[in-house]
Amino acid sequence: MPGAEILLFGETHGSAESPALVGEVVCAYAKQGPVALGLEMPSTEEAPIGVYLASDGDGDARGKLRSAPFWLHQDGRSSVAMFDLIEWVRHLKHGGLPVSVFTLNPNLARTSDDNRAIAQALRAFHAKHPARRIVALMGNLHAGQAKISPFGSTIVPAGYLLRDLHPVSVYVANPGGSIWACMGTCGVHEVGGHWYPGRKPGFYADSPVQGYSMSYMLPGLTASPPAGESAGTGRQAMDGRQ
């Protein structure tokens, strides 16, 4: 795994696999020392997540966390898989590992504003906790360290704004599958994979996307719906991990 003190994982929102990957990374690093997980969620979610992490994860605690309007947001930032990731951190924390969660405070509306907000939130957390490793999960338009123009206008990613902190940006590549997203309609959408066909899952010291020094090839993509619309607890999916 990458050895940097700040890791920025750039994902395609809406899959089960990306949050699961980051959960395993957090677990591995937490066995070495304190780790903070940064999530692409508004600041209003940070306190409720903290309360949930301190709870026993019962039905009442899960219901309180998922009752906020954010958890009905129609993309992968509020998915069942993301809730499962928070539950996994709670599980690790109650197991004695030094883990925490902070939010990256995007406005969930405009990419340019999100990048500035994400960079500012991560920089502020790092300044307050300089000895804590940061593993942050965000959309792949945010985590890179090069200016890009995917839609004509230039985007300055959060990773670019954080270059002085020397983060490692990891592009979460995939061979295709399904995601939950709002693309014309909100729901499950099939997406094609075209990054390094035939690669086995794992970390690689290259990337198909500019601004990323590393990549991780997922085994596939499976859509994960909004947690606010699901009756599942997520607990069974995470407690079996080692």
Side-chain angles (χ1 to χ4, degrees):
M1 288 195 306
E5 292 304 307
I6 301 176
L7 289 95
L8 310 178
F9 283 84
E11 70 155 349
T12 298
H13 293 315
S15 81
E17 287 78 9
S18 290
L21 161 65
V22 170
E24 295 296 348
V25 171
V26 168
C27 179
Y29 282 132
K31 293 176 181 178
Q32 303 173 14
V35 180
L37 171 63
L39 296 178
E40 193 181 336
M41 297 178 180
S43 59
T44 52
E45 298 307 305
E46 190 162 306
I49 289 173
V51 171
Y52 182 76
L53 294 180
S55 77
D56 62 3
D58 63 11
D60 287 343
R62 292 193 300 272
K64 287 179 181 178
L65 180 57
R66 296 196 303 191
S67 64
F70 168 77
W71 290 98
L72 293 175
H73 191 71
Q74 296 286 303
D75 72 20
R77 289 169 287 192
S78 56
S79 68
V80 170
M82 292 296 287
F83 187 89
D84 284 351
L85 176 56
I86 294 171
E87 164 60 13
W88 177 232
V89 172
R90 189 198 67 79
H91 175 76
L92 296 177
K93 186 177 181 67
H94 283 253
L97 291 178
V99 292
S100 60
V101 174
F102 70 102
T103 60
L104 297 171
N105 199 29
N107 64 17
L108 304 178
R110 296 181 57 194
T111 300
S112 59
D113 293 339
D114 285 355
N115 278 310
R116 288 192 293 269
I118 288 169
Q120 182 178 7
L122 194 148
R123 187 181 296 279
F125 184 91
H126 177 66
K128 189 175 181 179
H129 308 280
R132 192 170 304 183
R133 189 190 299 269
I134 294 173
V135 177
L137 177 60
M138 62 191 72
N140 53 38
L141 293 181
H142 303 313
Q145 296 179 49
K147 296 180 181 180
I148 54 177
S149 303
F151 312 117
S153 60
T154 299
I155 294 175
V156 182
Y160 181 91
L161 299 173
L162 294 166
R163 289 176 302 160
D164 59 300
L165 298 182
H166 308 293
V168 167
S169 295
V170 182
Y171 184 81
V172 183
N174 66 82
S178 63
I179 60 171
W180 181 283
C182 290
M183 299 189 300
T185 60
C186 294
V188 177
H189 294 270
E190 298 297 320
V191 292
H194 53 278
W195 308 119
Y196 299 130
R199 273 198 172 179
K200 295 181 179 179
F203 283 103
Y204 292 89
D206 58 11
S207 170
V209 176
Q210 183 182 11
Y212 288 85
S213 58
M214 297 190 68
S215 60
Y216 185 96
M217 175 60 78
L218 294 174
L221 290 179
T222 307
S224 184
E229 296 183 0
S230 172
T233 66
R235 195 169 196 169
Q236 293 82 359
M238 307 304 280
D239 280 357
R241 297 186 178 187
Q242 300 299 317

